[in-house]
């Protein structure tokens, strides 16, 4: 599905109205996203993210807007690269 809005670097809204916050370590993967970028939402097998957005040349870890990031897991993931 296509992007409806990506006006904030860490938030993306898809055409179905779903809103996702992007994992801080993956923000660079979203820099080339445009409104016509096709993304697929899949459940994640990940301690940090609940879902992944696949498309636009990569895979980005996300959580629904409003969900809190598990701080310990985020710190570990950012430290590990």
């Amino acid at each position: 599905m296509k992007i409806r809005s990506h006006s904030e670097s860490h938030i993306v809204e898809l055409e179905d109205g779903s809103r996702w916050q992007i994992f801080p370590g993956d923000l660079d993967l979203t820099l080339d996203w445009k409104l016509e970028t096709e993304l697929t939402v899949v459940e994640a097998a990940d301690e940090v993210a609940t879902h992944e957005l696949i498309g636009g040349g990569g895979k980005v870890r996300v959580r629904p807007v409003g969900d809190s990031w598990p701080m310990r897991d985020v710190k570990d993931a950012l430290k590990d690269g």
Side-chain angles (χ1 to χ4, degrees), residues 59-73:
K59 177 171 61 173
V60 175
R61 295 168 283 186
V62 296
R63 295 182 79 82
V65 168
D67 276 11
S68 297
W69 293 102
M71 281 302 135
R72 183 178 187 169
D73 293 330

Side-chain angles (χ1 to χ4, degrees), residues 1-80:
M1 90 185 59
K2 293 186 180 177
I3 297 171
R4 178 181 291 168
S5 173
H6 189 214
S7 57
E8 296 179 67
S9 61
H10 66 290
I11 304 287
V12 64
E13 181 177 352
L14 301 180
E15 63 186 356
D16 68 351
S18 62
R19 298 180 70 226
W20 303 94
Q21 50 189 345
I22 299 164
F23 180 67
D26 293 345
L27 288 174
D28 61 321
L29 301 174
T30 70
L31 295 176
D32 292 329
W33 284 3
K34 304 197 177 354
L35 295 180
E36 57 273 0
T37 301
E38 287 283 341
L39 299 171
T40 302
V41 179
V42 297
E43 287 190 31
D46 189 299
E47 294 83 30
V48 174
T50 59
H51 293 79
E52 295 172 338
L53 298 179
I54 300 173
K59 177 171 61 173
V60 175
R61 295 168 283 186
V62 296
R63 295 182 79 82
V65 168
D67 276 11
S68 297
W69 293 102
M71 281 302 135
R72 183 178 187 169
D73 293 330
V74 168
K75 287 179 184 178
D76 289 344
L78 290 171
K79 185 172 46 174
D80 294 340

